[in-house]
Amino acid sequence: MKEVALLNTGVANIASVRAALLRLDVAVRFVEDASSVVDADALVFPGVGAFGAGMERLRQDGLARALQTRFAAGAPTLAICLGLQLLFEASEESPGVDGLGIVDGTIRRFPRDVRTPQFGWNSVEAAPESRYLTDGHAYFANSYACVEPPDGWAASTSTHGVPFVAAMEKGRLLACQFHPEISGPWGQEILRRWLFDEEA
Amino acid sequence: MLCRRILPCLDVRDGRVVKGIKFQGLRDAGDPVELCKAYQAQGADELVILDVSATPEGRGHQVEVIEAVRAILSIPLTVGGGVRAADDARRLLDAGADKVGVNTAAVITPEILSEMARRFGSQCTVIAIDAKRRDPDDPSQGWDVVIRSGKENTGLDAVEWARQAADLGAGEVLLTSWDRDGTRAGYDLALLTAISEAVDIPVIASGGAAHVGHLVDAFDAGADAVLAASIFHDGELTVGELKDDLAEAGVEVRR
């Protein structure tokens, strides 16, 4: 049976991610150490909460370096919500805090004239070169987002006041601003395709 | 564009659904898992489970119900009822809830909201407010917050309380009109407008819906989502049909 490692930083709420993976008939193993992060065949990197607190946790136990190593190697990895944001260099949410710096750019706050947090279902337009996404509706819960699609990644987009990156992919690396684990059958399919590397 | 959300709500007592809905093909209308499965298949955007158990023993089923529902549910789940401390919320989140609603406990100890927001994030933290008109015929007199299932009027101003709860870290307001709940007379639109203008966070309207027109009115008044329970109770209207009607009325919904 295929096994997926689920990075448990203790701050993210991961019961829904675990349940969604179990529905794909795979084994789920919680991991919280750097060597498992580097070595896992497939890793899910979830995250909720603030950028600064998330980075503070990753700086412990060498997790930040392990994630940088894993992404540099292009090993199958799914980052969710704050997990996507932490890949960047910085965020307006926590000025002065260095992100993982795996992707160039800064995470921005949504404009003041739209409801924040963005809570709920928004439409996603899949990037033409996307491997894992199709057009559909995704469940979001975020106040900050990547508004400048990074070079070298296939960026699927949504709009909340401004266009922003709903998901970005490069090879076996997939980062979703939305929560695929609670985005209905559409989200469940994205998880399946990423896990088994099937093209949409 | 962000869709308006339809949230069916299940009242659960001692592990069983109260006022179970007799959907076609549903073997056991009292089984929370069966009912959640049916709502999900119909296109519900999220589900809300309120534990209305009167005793701690009855509430002992709460975790197993949530675990069983989570296993089959691929949409967000909000759980409320009997949350007294942030550790109660932790147990519900670990069992599979995505968000936890707090009502009475937050009025008595507002710090529970900031503690939940700090430990689990605002996206997990829902402030449930039961609001009662000071004058049933005159919304300009404002609304009081009532707690303990309406048995106690706190004298707190509902609009002010919503603002304070958002400042403390609540990420969403579940707003129930005590005057309209169970009446099928439509949502208290003045209340919805007052609260949704007072806070930036999303507002879920609850209490009074009988037909699709009431939902359209609620969205027009500022609701981001609507909680609906009794509207589905006769089993004749499905979430999917309701969404078709909403779309026809020009409301953006997920289909």
Side-chain angles (χ1 to χ4, degrees), chain A residues 10-13 15-16 19 23 48-49 115-123 137 139 141 159-160 181-185 188, chain B residues 1-3 5 45-46 70-76 93-94 96-99 123 171 196 199-202 222 224 254:
Chain A
V11 291
N13 168 34
S16 298
R23 283 194 291 272
V48 296
R115 273 246 196 270
T116 309
Q118 169 187 223
F119 256 136
W121 298 85
N122 204 335
S123 49
H137 282 101
Y139 187 85
T159 300
H160 186 58
E181 73 278 15
I182 45 175
S183 288
Q188 189 80 46
Chain B
M1 192 177 161
L2 210 55
C3 300
R5 292 172 278 155
D45 294 311
E46 303 182 27
R70 177 79 278 158
I72 58 97
L73 198 68
S74 63
I75 55 174
L93 293 170
D94 285 345
D98 298 295
K99 319 180 203 181
Q123 82 293 334
S196 66
V199 297
D200 288 331
I201 58 178
D224 299 274
R254 175 183 75 109

Side-chain angles (χ1 to χ4, degrees), chain B residues 97-241:
Chain B
D98 298 295
K99 319 180 203 181
V100 174
V102 223
N103 189 331
T104 299
V107 172
I108 294 165
T109 321
E111 296 73 35
I112 189 177
L113 294 173
S114 39
E115 189 183 346
M116 282 174 61
R118 182 174 49 77
R119 288 174 59 186
F120 321 126
S122 288
Q123 82 293 334
C124 292
T125 308
V126 179
I127 178 68
I129 299 177
D130 292 345
K132 187 174 193 279
R133 284 191 182 188
R134 296 196 177 106
D135 179 341
D137 302 316
D138 182 7
S140 72
Q141 298 301 309
W143 297 262
D144 284 327
V145 175
V146 297
I147 57 171
R148 303 190 202 282
S149 308
K151 290 196 269 293
E152 186 179 330
N153 188 327
T154 64
L156 272 176
D157 182 73
V159 176
E160 193 39 54
W161 172 230
R163 202 177 279 136
Q164 196 191 336
D167 287 346
L168 286 167
E172 206 167 28
V173 182
L174 170 52
L175 180 63
T176 302
S177 161
W178 199 251
D179 306 274
R180 297 297 176 86
D181 203 27
T183 64
R184 299 176 67 88
Y187 297 97
D188 185 341
L189 302 177
L191 172 66
L192 272 173
T193 301
I195 302 271
S196 66
E197 283 177 356
V199 297
D200 288 331
I201 58 178
V203 177
I204 306 164
S206 165
H211 56 75
V212 66
H214 286 150
L215 275 62
V216 174
D217 291 343
F219 293 134
D220 286 345
D224 299 274
V226 291
L227 192 85
S230 53
I231 194 167
F232 302 120
H233 272 163
D234 55 15
E236 283 171 16
L237 184 68
T238 67
V239 179
E241 288 161 353

